[in-house]
Amino acid sequence: MSDPLYPFPLFRFHVEFRRQEDNDIQLAHGAFSECTGLEATMEAKVIKAGGVNYGAFQRAGRVTFATVILKRGITSSRDLWKWFSHVNERGKLAFRLDVKILVFGETELAPPPGEPQSSPQPSAEPSLTIQLFRALPVKFKSGDLNARATEVGIEELHLAHEGLTFL
């Protein structure tokens, strides 16, 4: 909608997995219904100066990142499982990937003259891109094999990472 105060829709997103060396090649992708853990925490360093009795000085410290959890996902390939199993096999290197979470908003289409205003349509271009640097899969949980269950292919995928940006 054109109203700048309209809430930004965060329910349409797609996840892409790419290698850092050739970021233009998508290695795996998936659609998930929930993404949690997009947070960074900076631990402030407290400096107590002699003779200053009112408070302490605060300096920037180390930044840590939470584990990102992708829940209830589907994908058309087994690439995410292969990535996880490759990382935990004995004697293999921890293969890291950059992860892009593309959030799609809504775009308002102008109706033809004389017709009522239609509802906003999904945007083809992402409104927000969240990037995780050098992600490493630390937990992979598949859905249960049960005919009555409502689980999907990938129940949870936990990713540890070394950086987070919002573009």
Side-chain angles (χ1 to χ4, degrees):
M1 298 203 144
S2 60
D3 183 6
L5 299 177
Y6 186 75
F8 189 73
L10 294 175
F11 52 84
R12 293 187 61 239
F13 63 94
H14 180 80
V15 183
E16 297 177 351
F17 300 84
R18 300 171 183 268
R19 214 171 30 193
Q20 191 172 20
E21 297 82 40
D22 39 275
N23 212 359
D24 54 335
I25 299 174
Q26 178 179 287
L27 297 177
H29 62 90
F32 294 85
S33 66
E34 187 177 341
C35 177
T36 61
L38 296 171
E39 66 178 76
T41 304
M42 189 265 301
E43 299 173 20
K45 299 289 183 183
V46 179
I47 299 175
K48 298 177 183 177
V52 179
N53 294 330
Y54 183 76
F57 297 105
Q58 303 288 331
R59 297 291 182 254
R62 178 170 290 165
V63 176
T64 57
F65 302 98
T67 300
V68 172
I69 303 171
L70 300 169
K71 295 181 182 179
R72 300 188 53 83
I74 56 172
T75 182
S76 59
S77 69
R78 292 187 184 115
D79 293 338
L80 295 176
W81 169 252
K82 288 178 187 175
W83 178 36
F84 178 78
S85 65
H86 182 77
V87 166
N88 65 39
E89 285 178 8
R90 182 172 236 182
K92 296 218 175 170
L93 296 176
F95 189 67
R96 307 221 176 204
L97 296 177
D98 287 344
V99 178
K100 282 188 178 182
I101 303 169
L102 307 170
V103 182
F104 297 93
E106 297 176 338
T107 180
E108 193 170 319
L109 300 176
E115 291 197 18
Q117 179 71 27
S118 62
S119 62
Q121 298 298 315
S123 171
E125 292 295 317
S127 301
L128 174 66
T129 300
I130 303 164
Q131 188 162 2
L132 309 177
F133 299 103
R134 295 182 42 79
L136 183 68
V138 293
K139 181 179 179 182
F140 186 97
K141 181 180 177 186
S142 179
D144 294 335
L145 299 176
N146 182 345
R148 294 185 197 165
T150 59
E151 285 89 5
V152 292
I154 301 170
E155 204 49 41
E156 288 183 5
L157 178 62
H158 294 227
L159 302 171
H161 59 93
E162 296 179 2
L164 170 73
T165 60
F166 289 81
L167 305 172

